[in-house]
Amino acid sequence: MQRRLDRQANTNFKTIKMLIRTAQIEALGTPKKEKFIEKTIAFLKENTPKWAESKTDDQISATIENMIELGRERNIKKEINIQKLLFHWIKYELKTPPSPEIDAELIQESRSENYRVKCMIKAIRRNGVR
């Protein structure tokens, strides 16, 4: 009986420990994400000034959040690749969700994230896909 209680207590401890770790990881991600958004706002203001001049920082931030989510759905996680997506989405006035041609480049299985983004950019430049 005591062993069963010990095992149950140990299992509960592991669960609690895991929940704390998950919360810690999520908390650590928030400042990094906020820093990325700040950096990307500056990037977009510098590289897409006509688009950015009519937007508040909150509007630009919302656009960045949307692209982060689109990237997450397509397994695009690197900051530089999110910025590349944003730049080309703005430059070529692309719509969300992406067209089938663009999405096909972004969801290629067994291809690296960098390669998929590069292929998407080539497809946009080649075809002027909207």
Side-chain angles (χ1 to χ4, degrees):
M1 176 80 161
Q2 183 62 36
R3 283 186 177 180
R4 191 175 92 200
L5 290 174
D6 288 344
R7 275 190 299 229
Q8 186 177 5
N10 193 26
T11 302
N12 289 339
F13 176 72
K14 286 180 183 176
T15 302
I16 292 168
K17 187 176 176 183
M18 186 171 162
L19 291 174
I20 292 170
R21 286 182 181 220
T22 301
Q24 289 170 333
I25 290 168
E26 288 173 1
L28 289 173
T30 300
K32 183 178 180 185
K33 183 178 178 183
E34 289 173 2
K35 185 175 179 181
F36 169 70
I37 289 173
E38 288 176 21
K39 184 170 54 173
T40 303
I41 289 171
F43 167 82
L44 292 174
K45 285 181 176 181
E46 182 178 330
N47 292 285
T48 59
K50 287 183 182 180
W51 176 84
E53 72 185 4
S54 63
K55 311 268 188 294
T56 65
D57 284 0
D58 287 343
Q59 290 171 319
I60 296 171
S61 179
T63 301
I64 295 166
E65 292 273 2
N66 289 337
M67 191 56 65
I68 290 169
E69 182 59 30
L70 187 140
R72 185 177 301 126
E73 291 169 358
R74 286 152 183 85
N75 201 27
I76 306 293
K77 299 175 184 173
K78 293 180 183 175
E79 292 179 357
I80 187 68
N81 286 332
I82 297 295
Q83 288 181 334
K84 287 177 183 179
L85 291 176
L86 279 161
F87 175 79
H88 286 86
W89 238 258
I90 293 166
K91 180 177 179 180
Y92 292 96
E93 299 175 351
L94 301 175
K95 306 294 182 227
T96 303
S99 68
E101 296 89 349
I102 292 172
D103 219 20
E105 299 297 345
L106 292 175
I107 61 173
Q108 296 178 61
E109 291 187 29
S110 75
R111 297 291 186 178
S112 75
E113 174 181 335
N114 293 343
Y115 181 80
R116 290 181 285 131
V117 170
K118 188 175 180 179
C119 288
M120 181 216 64
I121 292 167
K122 285 181 181 180
I124 292 169
R125 289 178 179 166
R126 185 175 51 245
N127 301 319
V129 176
R130 297 203 186 269

